[in-house]
Amino acid sequence: MACILLTGATGYIASHTWLALKDAGYDVIGVDSYVNSSPIVLNRLREIGGFEPQFVQGDVRDASALDRCFELGKQFGGVRAVIHFAALKAVGESVERPLDYFENNIGGLLSVCQAMKRHGVYDVVFSSSATVYGKPESLPITENAPLRATNPYGQTKLMGEEMLRELERCDARWHVAYLRYFNPVGAHASGRIGEDPRGVPNNLMPYVAQVAVGKREHLNVFGNDYDTPDGTGVRDYIHVCDLAEGHVAALRYLADKGQSLTVNLGTGQGYSVLDLARAYGQACGREIPVVFAPRRPGDVDACYADPTHAFNAMGWKARRGLNDMCVDSWRWQSTNPNGFEG
Ligand code: UD1
């Protein structure tokens, strides 16, 4: 079976993808600097998956760290494709420190592509985001909707896509799967890995999880006058294990079809902030107290995917519902209240 290099390997989405790849029979090499993740993830992968993680600690901007990964891959017949997860991802922080975002996200992607070329590997799966659609003009969002960035983080995803498209145009050996993630939430069903944000969570479900476990008093609902059924923001939450399986499907597509692919990875179903808080309350057996607060700058009313193309192209669709997302998040949060380091 083919060997896959994961960058940002100990992060939230990559760690779940690592397990999905092993389940599908792939060999995996991981690289991460631990800038936003914990080495304990490797122990948990060993424990859940019963395999020895092949791992290099390093930054993707460090060519020698990447070369070590490709060297490690030789024992498995050589790296065949790269899934490039490693990136900074906090919108607010990106506005405060745009240069860090360009350096890490654009510099990191450039370095990964250069390493791939050095080692004769041309299949890459790129972690893009629904953020590339900016404020959507119509819903559900299809892949040919107009693209625009509304903050430096979003700009790095858009620039990443453009850089890779240009590379493809110049050299037909490159094949890219552009995966536009909607809102990844939940955790592995084992409860042993999950999202472990540092500091105050920016995103909704990790915040709700911390309210549920008693670390925060209530959820601040950012805005209740949006143009949505209950006035709170609507998003397309997708279980991280469904998302992980989307990466396996994308790799198969690249290998089988030998062509590039741009797909939304979402469920197609929108839920409001209050829907999610209610569902989480049921999962944890305790109502989530909410307080209405002003809108968060830059937020849109509603954002959800048309996932049809992902199904037609790769035969993939999300299988897990909102209840699974909440139950699995709660299992992780309640048994690891302080995350990996706790
Ligand atoms: C955010 C990012 C997006 C990124 C995605 C995944 C912004 C503007 N967008 O998406 O670029 O790709 O995360 O990391 O930050 N909410 C509350 N209270 C909270 C937190 C959130 O009411 O404490 C609301 C938000 O207003 C929104 C919904 O919950 O309506 C989802 O928010 P969030 O989880 O941050 O995701 P997005 O804003 O969709």
Side-chain angles (χ1 to χ4, degrees):
M1 197 49 150
C3 175
I4 310 300
L5 171 59
L6 300 189
T7 72
T10 43
Y12 172 47
I13 302 173
S15 56
H16 290 80
T17 302
W18 197 326
L19 291 175
L21 287 167
K22 294 296 286 187
D23 280 349
Y26 288 91
D27 294 306
V28 177
I29 311 285
V31 58
D32 203 302
S33 66
Y34 299 134
V35 66
N36 192 27
S37 64
S38 163
I40 294 169
V41 170
L42 298 175
N43 301 340
R44 301 288 174 91
L45 292 175
R46 201 179 279 122
E47 174 196 317
I48 307 166
F51 59 86
E52 186 52 39
Q54 303 289 316
F55 183 77
V56 171
Q57 183 184 346
D59 192 295
V60 288
R61 290 166 296 165
D62 173 0
S64 66
L66 292 177
D67 286 340
R68 283 206 299 285
C69 294
F70 285 93
E71 275 308 311
L72 260 186
K74 285 186 180 160
Q75 64 185 303
F76 305 111
V79 170
R80 289 269 289 279
V82 177
I83 310 184
H84 179 47
F85 289 103
L88 301 179
K89 61 163 189 178
V91 173
E93 180 186 71
S94 80
V95 177
E96 282 157 31
R97 296 170 21 213
L99 292 173
D100 288 350
Y101 274 68
F102 293 127
E103 184 179 344
N104 277 274
N105 295 7
I106 303 300
L109 174 62
L110 178 62
S111 169
V112 167
C113 291
Q114 286 169 329
M116 289 177 67
K117 183 156 189 287
R118 274 200 302 284
H119 295 275
V121 177
Y122 296 95
D123 278 2
V124 56
V125 177
F126 178 62
S127 296
S128 187
S129 165
T131 194
V132 299
Y133 298 117
K135 184 174 164 43
E137 280 167 17
S138 62
L139 293 165
I141 303 173
T142 61
E143 288 81 358
N144 46 30
L147 305 180
R148 70 177 73 88
T150 54
N151 54 65
Y153 160 72
Q155 187 67 53
T156 64
K157 291 297 171 188
L158 208 48
M159 288 167 73
E161 286 203 10
E162 282 169 2
M163 193 172 118
L164 289 165
R165 282 187 214 284
E166 197 60 40
L167 206 49
E168 284 186 64
R169 273 192 285 271
C170 298
D171 182 343
R173 288 175 296 182
W174 286 94
H175 295 124
V176 185
Y178 304 87
L179 305 187
R180 295 179 179 155
Y181 309 156
F182 280 68
N183 291 58
V185 297
H188 191 261
S190 66
R192 300 297 285 158
I193 57 170
E195 189 169 10
D196 181 16
R198 300 205 171 147
V200 182
N202 296 308
N203 296 118
L204 178 61
M205 190 173 288
Y207 199 100
V208 170
Q210 293 197 0
V211 175
V213 83
K215 288 177 78 173
R216 307 198 183 269
E217 271 184 12
H218 60 260
L219 169 67
N220 295 301
V221 177
F222 298 147
N224 62 351
D225 57 352
Y226 282 109
D227 184 14
T228 60
D230 67 17
T232 68
V234 165
R235 297 290 183 275
D236 187 337
Y237 298 97
I238 173 169
H239 196 296
V240 65
C241 293
D242 280 326
L243 192 66
E245 288 164 12
H247 291 75
V248 177
L251 282 173
R252 288 199 179 117
Y253 182 97
L254 291 177
D256 295 349
K257 302 270 180 347
Q259 62 187 42
S260 292
L261 168 79
T262 302
V263 283
N264 289 336
L265 295 184
T267 66
Q269 171 77 51
Y271 289 106
S272 73
V273 176
L274 295 180
D275 289 335
L276 188 142
R278 214 175 297 118
Y280 210 99
Q282 275 165 10
C284 73
R286 169 171 177 263
E287 198 176 318
I288 304 298
V290 303
V291 169
F292 292 108
R295 289 184 176 201
R296 185 173 63 180
D299 276 356
V300 300
D301 302 67
C303 174
Y304 49 92
D306 181 339
T308 313
H309 181 53
F311 184 69
N312 289 345
M314 356 185 256
W316 170 92
K317 67 170 188 237
R319 299 183 286 129
R320 298 160 179 91
L322 184 61
N323 182 56
D324 303 306
M325 303 177 207
C326 295
V327 166
D328 290 339
S329 162
W330 176 239
R331 189 179 298 109
W332 153 252
Q333 185 69 46
S334 55
T335 53
N336 301 269
N338 298 313
F340 289 106
E341 309 285 346

